[in-house]
Amino acid sequence: MTNRVIVFDTTLRDGEQSPGATMNLQEKLRLAKQLEMLGVDVIEAGFPASSNGDFESVKAIASTVKKVQVAALARANQKDIDRAWEAVKDASNPRIHVFIATSPIHMEYKLRKTPEEVLEQVSKWVAYTAQYTKNVEFSAEDASRSDPDFLVKVFSAAIAAGATTINVPDTVGYAQPEEFGSLIRYLIQNTKDSDKAIFSVHCHNDLGLGTANTLSALANGARQAELTLCGIGERAGNSSLEEVVMALRTRKDIYGGIDTGIVSEQLYPSCRLLAHIIGRPISATKPVVGGNAFAHEAGIHQDGMLKNRQTYEILTPESVGRKQTDLVIGKHSGRNAVRTRLEQLGYTLNEDQLNDVFKAVKDLADKKASVYDEDLVALVVSEVYRIPDRYRLINLSVQTAMSGMPATAAVELKVGDDLVRKASFGVGPVDAVFNVISKLVGRTPDLEEFSISSITGGTDAIGEVTVRLKEGRLTAVGRSSNPDVMVASAKAYVDALNRLDHKDQELSHGCSAEN
């Protein structure tokens, strides 16, 4: 048995199903390129049969990244499998990931099929998939609540039909670590021709055990782990990629030296990019990549750290890409210096994109003394990786007061080719700004979330604003960053409106609202 663990990243598929984590095509492509830099082995790019938007995203990713396998998810039916192959066929090593439920509750109430009928479906549709590619993964949905002996029959049939990867999902986060590890060992020992397939696990985090269950499975013979950056995903999320990777690397003594091909120094940059794209800041207490992961406040801890960092740090910040950032760009920096530093951070821009970012850097350098790596990343995300704008903020003036006086805002906005202006009141400055913008564009969505965070320290730090809007059955997240939080708020609101407009256009062209 090999000691190499295959990392199957499903951030773009299962992770995107996390409420509020929807990404547009350009954002998915950017994240896919970062995952390639991170060194994942497989990118599950999406579920092509779910919508035209998902199909186009998977197809674009399959044509763009070449150093990793690209997988598409499909239910066990001809339409899904055909659609999946059409999306991934241009990948350098395409994979189709076909699944069907195997637990008694799923078979009876969701599929309305008997175990015998499910077993027949497994053989039929895995064999059908294998006509397209030899890289076939089969998943038994809700495996952790399935009968182990039935799973042995199902997996034996799948391997006989051509599956080369067998996935055992803990779909609802029900399993316990020792129990799950024992299940994996039992399945490998009893499944016919189990040596002809890689056994994989896909663990959810409903009881906070996603990472623990994944590690237990790997210790018992599984050699593929299905993970997401920051553990995002359905409900409470998935097993976290950065946690599993660093646990294996830190405790090789426990796991017998099994390891991944992940470039660990790219873990924090990858998680940071995801946080920018979905507008969900990394929790300060998030293991491995959180802001407090390498922070020490208690006196005893600080004393130990000064004497020997290993007294309280089992990882180094550098090992996961968390480095102390120095001033790298200022108001006198040239275009080449900006390009070079961005390339060092993993961003390769074309000339037009570089021009947009360079102008934004110059504007920022005029407003704050120090431009840090985090500032540069925020500018790239806000200036480059965004959908085409129908609405664009041109100018803003805000006035606030005390003693019950309403706040006022005057906004100048570009709507298509038209320049429009209006002023209005609000109970506070942000409310006033949003009221004016809503009146200018003629849309009144509900504000579901409004949050502000600081990217770097200091009173001149860039404020990063996230806005989530809901209009009918459509939702959209807008993000922006600026040293002036009122400007950042206005831009984030406009960004969310642009995303709503983009979804309207998709619907008018027959695409699903979920993308």
Side-chain angles (χ1 to χ4, degrees), residues 45 106 119 179 219 227 249 268 287 295 310 347 384 400 414 420:
H106 276 236
L119 191 58
E179 170 192 37
L227 311 165
R249 202 153 291 179
Y268 177 70
Q310 291 183 348
Y347 296 91
V384 176
T400 189
K414 213 53 179 312
V420 292

Side-chain angles (χ1 to χ4, degrees), residues 109-159:
Y109 292 102
K110 188 178 77 170
L111 299 181
R112 301 190 183 280
K113 293 183 183 296
T114 66
E116 291 73 23
E117 289 173 322
V118 168
L119 191 58
E120 181 182 340
Q121 293 287 297
V122 171
S123 296
K124 176 181 179 179
W125 295 116
V126 170
Y128 182 82
T129 306
Q131 296 179 99
Y132 284 127
T133 175
K134 300 303 179 187
N135 191 355
V136 177
E137 176 171 342
F138 170 75
S139 281
E141 186 184 8
D142 205 22
S144 60
R145 294 194 294 174
S146 300
D147 176 66
D149 291 324
F150 181 59
L151 286 178
V152 167
K153 293 179 183 179
V154 166
F155 291 151
S156 297
I159 292 171

Side-chain angles (χ1 to χ4, degrees), residues 193-207:
D193 294 325
S194 63
D195 59 316
K196 294 181 179 179
I198 298 291
F199 273 71
S200 170
V201 289
H202 178 119
C203 298
H204 278 263
N205 206 38
D206 298 71
L207 296 176

